[in-house]
Structures are given as C-alpha cells and as structure tokens.
Amino acid sequence: MKSLFDTISFECSKNVTSAYSTSFSSAVKMLAPTIRQDIYNIYGFVRFADEIVDSFHDYDKENLFEMFQNDLNAALQNKISLNPILNSFQHTVHKFQIPNSLIASFMKSMKMDLIKSKYETVAEYNEYIYGSADVVGLMCLKVFVNGNDEKYKELEQPAMRLGSAFQKVNFLRDLKADYDELNRTYFPNTDLTKLDEASKNQIIKEIEADFEAGYQGIVNLPLEAKFGVYTAYIYYKKLLSKLKKTPSAEIKNTRIRVSDYQKFQLFAKCYFTYKLNSI
C-alpha cells in the first residue's frame, strides 16, 4: 500500500533532520504535531540538495544534481517518487500548494554553488540568499498558515527576513569552511583574507536588522508554529551574539558553536517565555 511507503518516506525525512541538525531537529519538535512532519519533509529535501553541492567532492556533482533535478520534476508531476525524501517532499508540496516558483528558486541557488565561488555584487548576493534561504522560510510558512492566503501575505516579508538572518549567520560562522574547503565567499565587497572588525560589524548590523524584521512575523504566527520558530530564532540570536564577541581574526579560523548545555538553557528559557505569553 502507498500509505506504508509514505510512512517509511516520512521517517526517512525525520531521520535526515535528526542526523544533520540536532538544533533544528529540537526546534521542530516544539512545533505542533499536526505540522511537524511536513517541516521534516521540507528539510529533508533542502538538505539533500545542499549535500550534493557541498559534500560529494569525489563524485560528478553536476551529474548528481541533474539527476536529482529530474527526479524532483518527476516526483512533483507524478505525485510519487521511489526516492523517499522526494516522495515526502512532493506530499507536502501538494498538501499545502507550495508554489513551484519557490522550489525553482531554491534549486537555482543550489546550482549556483556548483558554478560560482564569489558573489561580487549585492544583487548577486541577494539573489542567492533569496533562493537558498528566503524561499525555504516561505515553504515552511505555507505549512504554518495551512492554506490561509491572507495570513501568508501578511507574514511573507518577515519570513523572508528571518530566513535571510539565519543564512547570513551561517555564512559568518562558516567562513573558514566555505573559503578553505569549498573556495566560496558569499559576502560582497568583503575580502575575507583581510576581514577586520569594521567589516564584521557591518555584516552583523545587517543581520540584526533582519532579525528585528523577522521577529515581527514570529509574534503573529499561528500558535502551532510560534514556539518552534521562536526557539530557532533565539538559537540563532545566541550564535550571532557569540560571533559579535569573537574577534574577526578568530572568526576566520574557527567555527563558533553553542554548547549542549547552552542549548538546554536557551530551550528552557524559550519554553517559559512562551508559556508566559511573552512572545
């Protein structure tokens, strides 16, 4: 029966989320059970696409990506895929009518990672972030509002700004890996070999503005989603705080992390804030 295959597919997407991101997995667990699986399904899809362009260095990544794109197209058209991750994703796409334009923009940015290593203009940078992060936030928003188009339009811009903030934090804390291992630099007009405090602070100021705009959307999210998204927001704010306190020279040579103990403290604080209706 297809229902059994779907169940196995959903479990695969959940396992991918747990294996690749313990922090995001913890945040998803704080969403309402009614929407939790669909967020796993979205994450599994974006994670696999990202893995192709970032990790499979001993293989023909261009060919693998083309195969993945073809399988994605078939899954969306046929409403089934023998790839359990794509089968899960197509289920969520059709259930919540996620626009194909969002998916296409995401895949475009992922493909850019195969052919482009430096973003020299703000326009290029913004296009990449829109496809790699903003649209993922919008896919999740489609799930959160459960078909309420008016609510989606209201929260569309804040969701994009929050996605941008998360992505830019990742860029800043992954400077060393992106530059040394992948030969990529995302921030325009910034020489990462000479990153100084002024450049770092300008980037952080930009991220803080995104966080502020994104928070305005969090307070207006449906209850089913608010606690989980708020938890992710607080986690990334903590990362940004640590990056802000870290000298620019150190950021280039290490990867800032939040310890498990600090994560537990953050999650506990988020829970009490949520229960006190302070979000």
Side-chain angles (χ1 to χ4, degrees), residues 225-241:
K226 185 180 289 188
F227 181 36
V229 177
Y230 178 70
T231 300
Y233 164 84
I234 290 298
Y235 170 72
Y236 271 89
K237 286 273 286 186
K238 179 63 176 179
L239 275 175
L240 184 63
S241 175

Side-chain angles (χ1 to χ4, degrees), residues 94-144:
H94 290 107
K95 179 180 177 181
F96 294 97
Q97 297 184 321
I98 293 174
N100 186 65
S101 60
L102 299 182
I103 302 168
S105 291
F106 171 76
M107 293 296 283
K108 181 180 180 181
S109 281
M110 291 301 97
K111 191 170 184 178
M112 287 168 72
D113 276 335
L114 292 173
I115 60 176
K116 195 172 181 63
S117 61
K118 190 173 183 179
Y119 293 79
E120 300 190 12
T121 70
V122 173
E124 289 178 339
Y125 172 64
N126 288 339
E127 180 185 16
Y128 179 83
I129 288 179
Y130 173 76
S132 66
D134 295 5
V135 299
V136 178
L138 294 178
M139 290 182 206
C140 293
L141 183 60
K142 277 288 185 180
V143 175
F144 297 156

Side-chain angles (χ1 to χ4, degrees), residues 3 19 30 45-46 74 94 108 142 183 201 216 218 224 259:
S3 59
M30 297 175 192
F45 162 68
V46 301
H94 290 107
K108 181 180 180 181
K142 277 288 185 180
N183 192 33
N201 290 335
Q216 301 310 310
I218 293 174
E224 293 86 351
S259 69

Side-chain angles (χ1 to χ4, degrees), residues 17-226:
T17 308
S18 300
Y20 277 98
S21 179
T22 56
S23 300
F24 185 76
S25 180
S26 297
V28 175
K29 290 175 184 176
M30 297 175 192
L31 298 170
T34 53
I35 61 174
R36 203 176 291 161
Q37 182 62 58
D38 290 292
I39 301 304
Y40 287 139
N41 295 347
I42 292 171
Y43 182 86
F45 162 68
V46 301
R47 183 72 263 168
F48 266 35
D50 195 56
E51 280 302 292
I52 293 171
V53 300
D54 281 359
S55 301
F56 301 155
H57 307 309
D58 295 330
Y59 302 89
D60 186 340
K61 291 193 281 189
E62 288 81 359
N63 185 52
L64 288 175
F65 190 83
E66 184 177 354
M67 290 168 58
F68 189 73
Q69 176 74 74
N70 292 337
D71 289 344
L72 168 64
N73 293 341
L76 295 175
Q77 180 178 340
N78 300 327
K79 298 185 178 182
I80 188 173
S81 175
L82 295 181
N83 178 327
I85 297 300
L86 290 179
N87 187 58
S88 299
F89 181 62
Q90 69 78 23
H91 171 87
T92 296
V93 169
H94 290 107
K95 179 180 177 181
F96 294 97
Q97 297 184 321
I98 293 174
N100 186 65
S101 60
L102 299 182
I103 302 168
S105 291
F106 171 76
M107 293 296 283
K108 181 180 180 181
S109 281
M110 291 301 97
K111 191 170 184 178
M112 287 168 72
D113 276 335
L114 292 173
I115 60 176
K116 195 172 181 63
S117 61
K118 190 173 183 179
Y119 293 79
E120 300 190 12
T121 70
V122 173
E124 289 178 339
Y125 172 64
N126 288 339
E127 180 185 16
Y128 179 83
I129 288 179
Y130 173 76
S132 66
D134 295 5
V135 299
V136 178
L138 294 178
M139 290 182 206
C140 293
L141 183 60
K142 277 288 185 180
V143 175
F144 297 156
V145 302
N146 193 23
N148 187 328
D149 290 336
E150 184 179 343
K151 195 70 173 174
Y152 179 83
K153 286 295 182 184
E154 174 193 338
L155 299 175
E156 185 176 13
Q157 290 301 316
M160 290 169 61
R161 294 292 294 275
L162 192 61
S164 291
F166 289 172
Q167 182 69 295
K168 291 170 188 175
V169 169
N170 286 336
F171 285 165
L172 195 55
R173 75 165 179 162
D174 291 339
L175 282 180
K176 178 176 172 58
D178 285 340
Y179 189 77
D180 291 349
E181 299 171 22
L182 301 174
N183 192 33
R184 291 188 202 141
T185 58
Y186 291 105
F187 295 113
N189 304 316
T190 303
D191 184 351
L192 298 186
T193 62
K194 302 175 183 177
L195 182 69
D196 55 20
E197 286 301 301
S199 299
K200 185 196 82 170
N201 290 335
Q202 181 59 41
I203 292 169
I204 287 175
K205 185 178 179 181
E206 181 182 314
I207 298 172
E208 288 175 335
D210 285 332
F211 269 128
E212 184 176 350
Y215 181 77
Q216 301 310 310
I218 293 174
V219 300
N220 292 307
L221 278 171
L223 288 176
E224 293 86 351
K226 185 180 289 188

